[in-house]
Amino acid sequence: MATRVPAEVELIEGNEWERELEILVEQVQHEKDKVRDIFQQLHSLLAVREQSLLVELDDVVVRARLEVKEKIDVIQELQKAKEALDKELTKNKLREVLQKNLSTLDEKIREEKGRGVNVRWVDLEWKREQLEQSIIEVCKVVTFKEKPFRTEDYSRKLRPVWSREGTGPSRIEWPDQIAIDPISENIYIVDSKAHNIKIFNKEGKYLYNISTPKNPSGIALTNEFIYVSAGKTIVKIGRSNNKTTKSVKLENSVFGMDIYTNNTLYVCEQYNLSILLLDMELKVQNRIILNTPHVTDRKSITSIKLYQDNMYVKFNNSLFHLQIFRLDGELVRCIIEETEILFCNFFTIDQFGNIITPNYFRNEIKIFSNSGKLIHTISNSNLAEDEMFDCPIEVAIGKNNRIIIAQHSEKYNLIAF
């Protein structure tokens, strides 16, 4: 007969088993939590490593791109160097040919001079100067970015803003250079025959004159002073009282002048073929020798304009009457007009760097780009009034590209368009 286990004993034993099972379940859950934490940590580490790898990969890509760009830049530089070398070789070959032709021309000139045929060798010398210019054009290294002058306003019949008759005490006897006050727009005209400066307002009304040394030529303005050249003398005149505050005498005759942005006065040494640099107290700071083959004893400098770190210099009695130089005196280029400019000592430059010059004997104003290309001609044929131009000798540019002209005329000696 089986032994019967009491009910109390069975309950106790059953409860112990359940407790052990609960403990075991808790242990398993704990282990699962530990495993989950480990997986989360691994996932975080993998995420960090993945981000690090991406950053490293980006760095590699950036470095690779930079290396490729550097190689491309090197290739482009090499290509530019090759093109420059090819161009230089072409220049050298062309220069050799031109120099050979120049030697041949020199020989022919000597032969013709020996025969005493003046017309023939003068014509050959003209061709020689043209050939020299071709050599310069081949060898030039500076290129201006041209900004063409707006000529649409000049393509129709022009009507003057105002014009003054050349009579009375305000008559301009022999105008040399014009300066315009940028604030008041008053016009200052050097009259070398009357030995004074005549001042007109922007409407052309005569205001007064200022006495100067004998035969004045160049003029430059600041807010407080007027600088005038006359022979070997430069004077500084106060604008508030029109009295000379300083005067210096130089070694050589000077002519036109201009003021650069660094408050330096650039003055043409007329027969020395150089530019003097003076400070505002008229102390000589430097002398720039113009490096150009197109100068002889017969040529002289008459005027200078400064534009974009370049000097535009006018030579008298020269085929290449206007040449552009760097501020150190190195030649940039010669300006070659399509037509001959006669009796022109002065010129002006507009805001785009274009050159505006009078043609005295042909009664016209010519506008050229800074490469010498003829842009436009203003003559009596495109003026609203007949025969208004009569020996124009000096020109200046005012606000809004207003052209102001002084001329030797009994009818109109000062005109504004």
Side-chain angles (χ1 to χ4, degrees):
M1 181 175 185
T3 305
R4 182 176 176 82
V5 179
E8 294 80 1
V9 175
E10 290 180 359
L11 180 59
I12 293 170
E13 290 179 356
N15 290 341
E16 185 66 27
W17 179 83
E18 286 179 357
R19 283 195 298 275
E20 289 180 359
L21 181 60
E22 287 176 359
I23 292 170
L24 182 60
V25 169
E26 288 177 359
Q27 290 176 348
V28 170
Q29 185 62 40
H30 179 69
E31 293 299 327
K32 282 177 65 178
D33 292 341
K34 287 174 64 178
V35 170
R36 186 179 66 251
D37 292 342
I38 291 171
F39 272 104
Q40 286 177 348
Q41 291 176 7
L42 285 174
H43 184 269
S44 299
L45 289 173
L46 287 173
V48 171
R49 182 56 180 162
E50 180 182 8
Q51 186 64 33
S52 176
L53 288 173
L54 288 174
V55 171
E56 291 178 7
L57 182 60
D58 287 342
D59 291 340
V60 170
V61 170
V62 169
R63 286 197 299 271
R65 286 177 177 172
L66 287 174
E67 289 177 3
V68 170
K69 185 179 182 303
E70 288 176 358
K71 290 179 180 178
I72 291 174
D73 290 342
V74 170
I75 292 172
Q76 289 177 346
E77 290 298 323
L78 289 174
Q79 183 65 29
K80 289 179 181 178
K82 180 180 180 301
E83 291 174 359
L85 182 60
D86 291 343
K87 187 180 292 185
E88 192 60 36
L89 290 173
T90 303
K91 281 184 179 181
N92 289 337
K93 289 178 182 178
L94 184 54
R95 183 165 48 194
E96 288 176 7
V97 173
L98 291 172
Q99 291 286 5
K100 186 176 180 181
N101 291 340
L102 193 62
S103 300
T104 303
L105 263 179
D106 286 339
E107 184 64 30
K108 288 183 179 180
I109 289 172
R110 284 193 293 270
E111 290 177 3
E112 296 297 335
K113 281 185 176 180
R115 294 175 187 173
V117 185
N118 293 337
V119 176
R120 175 65 178 161
W121 68 259
V122 168
D123 181 58
L124 288 174
E125 281 195 336
W126 177 274
K127 290 182 179 179
R128 187 186 191 282
E129 287 199 21
Q130 289 180 316
L131 189 58
E132 281 186 337
Q133 173 60 22
S134 298
I135 294 173
I136 287 179
E137 288 296 315
V138 167
C139 301
K140 69 185 179 183
V141 294
V142 180
T143 302
F144 283 90
K145 185 177 180 181
E146 290 190 32
K147 298 179 180 179
F149 190 80
R150 294 181 62 185
T151 58
E152 58 267 23
D153 292 338
Y154 297 95
S155 60
R156 52 182 171 77
K157 289 288 183 180
L158 285 178
R159 190 173 298 279
V161 177
W162 48 257
S163 54
R164 292 197 68 264
E165 293 187 3
T167 57
S170 62
R171 172 174 169 74
I172 305 167
E173 297 292 336
W174 192 275
D176 265 339
Q177 196 168 11
I178 301 176
I180 300 176
D181 186 333
I183 299 174
S184 67
E185 298 185 63
N186 286 346
I187 302 162
Y188 291 68
I189 300 179
V190 175
D191 192 330
S192 59
K193 191 173 181 179
H195 314 307
N196 62 26
I197 301 169
K198 291 182 170 64
I199 295 92
F200 302 83
N201 67 12
K202 62 182 179 180
E203 285 81 27
K205 180 183 177 181
Y206 172 72
L207 300 178
Y208 56 92
N209 65 59
I210 302 172
S211 297
T212 67
K214 189 177 179 181
N215 300 321
S217 54
I219 183 172
L221 301 178
T222 67
N223 291 335
E224 298 178 352
F225 298 99
I226 305 168
Y227 295 86
V228 180
S229 60
K232 295 182 179 181
T233 302
I234 296 181
V235 295
K236 179 181 178 182
I237 302 170
R239 293 182 64 178
S240 60
N241 56 15
N242 296 331
K243 292 183 179 180
T244 299
T245 62
K246 193 157 192 176
S247 176
V248 297
K249 193 164 186 179
L250 304 171
E251 295 179 3
N252 303 300
S253 294
V254 292
F255 216 70
M257 61 173 67
D258 198 6
I259 295 178
Y260 196 48
T261 53
N262 59 359
N263 290 330
T264 301
L265 196 63
Y266 283 65
V267 184
C268 303
E269 285 196 296
Q270 188 173 5
Y271 300 110
N272 205 30
L273 300 176
S274 58
I275 306 296
L276 276 183
L277 272 60
L278 288 76
D279 63 18
M280 295 291 93
E281 294 302 315
L282 302 182
K283 293 181 181 179
V284 177
Q285 304 296 313
N286 195 8
R287 173 182 278 111
I288 301 172
I289 305 299
L290 299 179
N291 185 12
T292 171
H294 303 291
V295 291
T296 67
D297 293 337
R298 295 173 297 167
K299 297 171 185 173
S300 61
I301 303 177
T302 58
S303 57
I304 180 174
K305 296 292 181 184
L306 299 161
Y307 177 79
Q308 287 189 348
D309 294 334
N310 286 282
M311 300 184 293
Y312 289 59
V313 180
K314 169 70 179 67
F315 291 86
N316 195 19
N317 300 322
S318 171
L319 171 63
F320 312 110
H321 77 91
L322 201 148
Q323 301 178 31
I324 302 175
F325 298 85
R326 294 201 304 259
L327 293 181
D328 60 2
E330 286 299 313
L331 180 66
V332 173
R333 71 157 60 101
C334 293
I335 299 299
I336 305 174
E337 281 80 22
E338 296 178 6
T339 56
E340 185 181 5
I341 297 296
L342 300 173
F343 199 68
C344 165
N345 284 339
F346 294 100
F347 66 98
T348 192
I349 299 175
D350 70 6
Q351 60 181 326
F352 303 113
N354 299 307
I355 300 154
I356 304 174
T357 180
N359 195 340
Y360 184 86
F361 291 119
R362 293 183 179 173
N363 296 328
E364 59 189 14
I365 303 295
K366 289 192 171 292
I367 303 171
F368 298 90
S369 71
N370 52 38
S371 65
K373 180 182 177 183
L374 179 62
I375 299 174
H376 197 73
T377 299
I378 306 173
S379 64
N380 284 316
S381 63
N382 55 20
L383 296 181
E385 298 182 28
D386 293 335
E387 304 302 322
M388 176 159 278
F389 279 165
D390 183 15
C391 299
I393 192 169
E394 170 61 318
V395 62
I397 285 286
K399 284 187 178 180
N400 301 318
N401 272 340
R402 183 173 68 165
I403 297 180
I404 297 168
I405 301 160
Q407 55 186 12
H408 295 161
S409 172
E410 293 296 333
K411 189 175 182 180
Y412 300 115
N413 68 342
L414 193 59
I415 312 169
F417 292 100

